[in-house]
Amino acid sequence: MRNAYFAVVLKKEILDMLRDRRALITNLVLPLVLYPVMFLFMGSAVNSLVTDAEQNTRLAVTAGTALYDVLSETEGLHIASAADPVAELDAGRADVALNVLSEGDGKYSAEIIFDDTKSASTMSAQYVISLLDAYNQSAVNEKLAEMGISIAQLSPVAITQKTLNAAAGREEASGAGIMLSMMLPMLVVIFLAVGGLATAGDLFAGEKERRTMEPLLCTRAGRGSILGAKFTAVTLYSLLSVVATFAGILLGNIINPDAMGMGIDTDALGDFTIPPLSLLLTVILIAVMAMVFSGLHVAVSTYSRTVKEAATYGTFFMLVAYIPVFSTMFMQAGDIKAWMMFVPMLNVVGAMKMVLGGVSDIPFFLGCIASSLVFLALVLALTRALFRKESVMLRTV
Amino acid sequence: MLELKALTKRFPVTGKHRKQTGQTSLTAVDGLSLQVSGGRIYGLLGANGAGKTTTLRMVATMLTPSEGTATVDGCDIITRADEVRRKTGLLFGGDVGLYDRLTAYENIQYFARLNDVPDEVSSARIHELAEQFRFTEHLQKAAGKLSKGTRQKVSFARAIIHDPQLMLFDEPTLGLDVTAKKEAEDFILHCRDKGKTIVLSDHTLSVVERLCDRIGILGKGKLLGEGTIDELTRQHECKSLEEVFFKLAEENAAL
């Protein structure tokens, strides 16, 4: 491979990619616009559901019952008595129905009926249950106080929960870190896979399809230089699409910080900062995965005769690569086993979970990077062999 | 300038075709030997599948011969492939492949750089070729927006930007309109006049008759006859090249 030819091919491929408006819009512009818009709507939709339930719940209660009086003083609750509360719910005049079955001597038996096909009804039911739970708790407290008994006396075993990290005096994994370790590897794999697919198809199978490959192979640039430069271009583009995706997510998070928590109190997730070393490791792991994916896409595209064929085969490999991601989605950093570091894709996903979950295990990371590089070398050796095979390179429709 | 020595290319037969025919390989070019002198246009004439394109691809170092070899200006296509590439320019006719998002200028310059032509040299040469082919006003346009004729002109320029001594043209006028065809033919003659050696593969008899100094007729990968038009018609007792072509084709089919 000669550096001069490598640079010429790489420069041309980058220029060509930057002029591909459709690919630029899909892979770079769309994430930058789509995520902020999505976050804006997602956050406000969840927030409005919660707010609506707390301020505008329409509750139908069995007429003439004492429970109606108990709840009628609650602020924000639009309560109405009805002979048949379920009919009110069915007619859409109420969000939740409280059907009082029996009452007397300060005791009530009631059932809450809600429409599980409507989000507003489900959220309102949760809200009414929380009101009734609070009422129950205060009634119990009052009774116990009258009898001179404390709650602690009624609970023989007092339990407090602690994580191992807290018990050992180590820094605890934050809730946000755990959430990120579930989401980030998945997003990285999806966007790396999608980002490089079209580009690799265009750069190899596309060259064959539009008959530019033959003149290219007749130039003085060796096949190693051409392959190396094109592989680098695909990797760069994949990484760029991941950067655009994260930039879009970050922008969305700045516009609406509550959206990531889906309406949950994000303060409860705890403070989360990535230490510089972990950040560096994450970047290295993403780069390694980008190279592995690009290598696969390049191999598939080299073998294919047309862009369409490359997209079909590439999609199959993409779906296979999703298996380790989705199968480990709910795994925590501590669940990652040593053998996983030697399975392509699974190793990077696992290592990223460890980094984000605050688990630093240098031998694991080194094993992951080494096995990824070995896998990459095998894929590139296969591609190189395909690139030199006449029957593959001159295969056209 | 160009010498083919028992050049042979066999392609492996696989899959269904192998099961049906029992064939393990298909001989596309079968022991082809010929010489082309410098400053001449040599026509390779043959029906589809005669082995013309495979021969050109081997000379251009895209395909490795199964047997035999060839030399370009004394350089062996197998052992000195890099030098052969420097001395050779290849052009395919028909649906010309260009990078549609690059301008005509960038398309040509890309190939100049990949053939070690310095930018200052290639820049002057691109403008010279554009003037010669009359596409100067299209130089800065995206290749995807050019007409078929102009695309072919750009690909001509791309094939010879590194000023090769040997030019391999595979059906260069295929799909061109009458004017573009005439311009392409004039250019080929102009290259010959400048001392370039040209191998022109075509199955259009009139094109070969008009342009070529010597003609080799191929059939099933073999050289069936060779010479000037006069020599061929005399040797085979025919009145025209067309007659010679069909006579040789019939004889070859009967074998």
Side-chain angles (χ1 to χ4, degrees):
Chain A
M1 184 163 77
R2 268 182 56 182
N3 289 341
Y5 299 132
F6 175 89
V8 169
V9 178
L10 181 61
K11 195 176 159 189
K12 177 257 161 192
E13 296 304 353
I14 289 172
L15 180 69
D16 205 5
M17 285 189 306
L18 291 176
R19 287 189 188 162
D20 187 353
R21 282 187 207 153
R22 273 178 299 178
L24 277 184
I25 289 170
T26 311
N27 293 320
L28 303 180
V29 179
L30 206 62
L32 283 170
V33 177
L34 193 71
Y35 285 104
V37 172
M38 203 169 80
F39 272 48
L40 200 64
F41 283 106
M42 200 166 74
S44 60
V46 175
N47 282 339
S48 73
L49 272 177
V50 175
T51 316
D52 260 14
E54 286 172 4
Q55 293 175 0
N56 301 313
T57 290
R58 295 172 302 160
L59 175 69
V61 185
T62 313
T65 58
L67 206 52
Y68 173 84
D69 299 330
V70 169
L71 290 167
S72 63
E73 285 164 21
T74 310
E75 224 173 278
L77 198 63
H78 302 278
I79 190 163
S81 65
D84 184 359
V86 180
E88 292 297 299
L89 173 66
D90 205 20
R93 288 189 290 270
D95 299 313
V96 192
L98 185 66
N99 197 15
V100 181
L101 303 171
S102 65
E103 61 177 30
D105 200 19
K107 283 188 171 182
Y108 314 96
S109 170
E111 56 185 11
I112 287 177
I113 298 117
F114 63 98
D115 186 350
D116 61 355
T117 62
K118 290 177 183 168
S119 316
S121 180
T122 310
M123 294 295 273
S124 296
Q126 293 301 318
Y127 179 56
V128 173
I129 289 169
S130 71
L131 291 175
L132 292 171
D133 278 347
Y135 175 72
N136 275 342
Q137 193 59 48
S138 82
V140 168
N141 288 346
E142 257 177 50
K143 286 250 164 72
L144 288 174
E146 278 170 22
M147 294 161 76
I149 304 168
S150 72
I151 289 184
Q153 281 173 284
L154 294 175
S155 310
V157 182
I159 302 168
T160 53
Q161 290 183 46
K162 264 186 185 175
T163 64
L164 176 63
N165 281 336
R170 293 193 291 259
E171 196 181 337
E172 279 194 272
S174 75
I178 292 166
M179 265 192 85
L180 210 59
S181 75
M182 283 201 295
M183 301 291 292
L184 194 72
M186 191 177 71
L187 290 174
V188 166
V189 170
I190 290 171
F191 288 103
L192 281 180
V194 174
L197 181 68
T199 315
D202 189 45
L203 262 56
F204 291 86
E207 290 251 21
K208 283 193 220 173
E209 196 175 356
R210 57 176 175 260
R211 299 189 63 192
T212 45
M213 186 61 93
E214 293 183 16
L216 186 63
L217 296 178
C218 290
T219 64
R220 299 191 75 193
R223 296 190 184 193
S225 304
I226 296 170
L227 178 62
K230 283 174 176 278
F231 164 72
T232 309
V234 175
T235 306
L236 285 176
Y237 201 73
S238 300
L239 284 171
L240 209 59
S241 71
V242 171
V243 169
T245 303
F246 286 141
I249 291 172
L250 198 68
L251 205 62
N253 208 41
I254 291 168
I255 292 170
N256 186 3
D258 294 335
M260 257 300 226
M262 302 290 283
I264 300 163
D265 180 10
T266 42
D267 293 340
L269 295 173
D271 290 331
F272 179 67
T273 52
I274 303 179
L277 183 66
S278 300
L279 189 65
L280 180 70
L281 274 171
T282 309
V283 171
I284 291 172
L285 291 169
I286 290 174
V288 166
M289 190 176 251
M291 285 194 281
V292 171
F293 259 120
S294 301
L296 276 175
H297 283 322
V298 164
V300 166
S301 182
T302 302
Y303 178 76
S304 307
R305 282 175 293 193
T306 61
V307 175
K308 195 178 168 190
E309 202 176 289
T312 308
Y313 294 145
T315 306
F316 169 75
F317 280 105
M318 237 166 63
L319 294 176
V320 171
Y322 287 169
I323 294 171
V325 180
F326 289 109
S327 62
T328 56
M329 192 178 163
F330 295 103
M331 267 191 187
Q332 301 295 330
D335 299 329
I336 307 299
K337 306 278 182 283
W339 65 265
M340 292 178 178
M341 294 296 112
F342 300 96
V343 181
M345 304 294 170
L346 185 61
N347 54 4
V348 180
V349 170
M352 278 176 76
K353 279 179 181 288
M354 289 172 75
V355 169
L356 297 166
V359 178
S360 298
D361 195 323
I362 299 299
F364 266 53
F365 296 145
L366 290 178
C368 166
I369 292 170
S371 64
S372 292
L373 291 178
V374 168
F375 181 66
L376 176 65
L378 289 174
V379 171
L380 287 182
L382 169 72
T383 312
R384 194 179 148 90
L386 287 174
F387 216 73
R388 287 174 190 280
K389 211 169 157 66
E390 291 168 355
S391 58
V392 171
M393 290 313 288
L394 300 177
R395 212 161 78 100
T396 50
V397 277
Chain B
M1 176 65 197
L2 172 67
E3 189 176 5
L4 273 54
K5 300 167 193 167
L7 198 66
T8 303
K9 183 66 187 178
R10 281 185 288 271
F11 292 109
V13 176
T14 53
K16 207 187 275 180
H17 190 65
R18 185 174 182 162
K19 273 185 188 168
Q20 284 170 349
T21 61
Q23 268 185 306
T24 52
S25 69
L26 178 80
T27 307
V29 178
D30 194 359
L32 190 61
S33 296
L34 56 88
Q35 285 186 336
V36 183
S37 316
R40 299 280 173 181
I41 302 178
Y42 189 98
L44 278 179
L45 193 61
N48 289 333
K52 307 183 298 287
T53 303
T54 305
T55 303
L56 295 189
R57 281 175 166 175
M58 282 192 282
V59 174
T61 75
M62 280 164 64
L63 290 175
T64 310
S66 307
E67 280 169 35
T69 191
T71 55
V72 175
D73 198 22
C75 300
D76 190 281
I77 58 166
I78 302 167
T79 56
R80 294 167 71 187
D82 188 47
E83 279 173 78
V84 171
R85 284 191 201 121
R86 191 165 54 82
K87 292 170 187 282
T88 310
L90 176 67
L91 174 90
F92 291 101
D95 191 10
V96 174
L98 293 174
Y99 299 107
D100 287 350
R101 290 185 290 268
L102 300 190
T103 63
Y105 185 94
E106 287 164 344
N107 264 284
I108 305 166
Q109 192 187 45
Y110 179 50
F111 281 81
R113 286 174 175 164
L114 292 177
N115 281 302
D116 291 335
V117 182
D119 280 0
E120 56 275 18
V121 176
S122 70
S123 175
R125 194 159 159 71
I126 291 168
H127 285 100
E128 189 187 310
L129 286 167
E131 209 168 301
Q132 199 174 345
F133 280 115
R134 292 195 285 276
F135 68 88
T136 306
E137 71 272 25
H138 300 298
L139 267 179
Q140 299 308 328
K141 284 184 190 165
K145 291 184 177 162
L146 301 177
S147 68
K148 195 170 184 176
T150 310
R151 284 171 74 86
Q152 182 68 318
K153 289 174 183 178
V154 173
S155 74
F156 258 110
R158 179 185 67 184
I160 59 166
I161 185 66
H162 56 300
D163 199 19
Q165 288 160 271
L166 175 67
M167 296 175 179
L168 307 171
F169 294 142
D170 190 11
E171 300 186 29
T173 57
L174 186 71
L176 294 183
D177 63 30
V178 183
T179 316
K181 204 175 268 190
K182 172 80 171 59
E183 283 173 350
E185 289 181 10
D186 286 348
F187 176 74
I188 293 168
L189 292 170
H190 173 76
C191 290
R192 194 259 320 263
D193 295 343
K194 284 181 80 180
K196 304 293 178 190
T197 307
I198 295 154
V199 178
L200 177 77
S201 147
D202 218 304
H203 55 227
T204 314
L205 289 164
S206 56
V207 173
V208 176
E209 267 178 327
R210 267 198 306 275
L211 299 176
C212 300
D213 301 306
R214 279 183 82 79
I215 296 161
I217 300 174
L218 292 184
K220 293 181 183 170
K222 287 182 179 163
L223 188 65
L224 306 177
E226 193 200 24
T228 61
I229 295 177
D230 282 347
E231 285 168 355
L232 282 166
T233 46
R234 220 177 317 119
Q235 273 170 25
H236 298 281
E237 296 171 347
C238 295
K239 286 176 192 161
S240 65
L241 180 64
E242 188 178 7
E243 227 175 280
V244 176
F245 180 76
F246 286 115
K247 189 180 178 188
L248 289 173
E250 264 174 46
E251 285 172 6
N252 189 44
L255 289 175

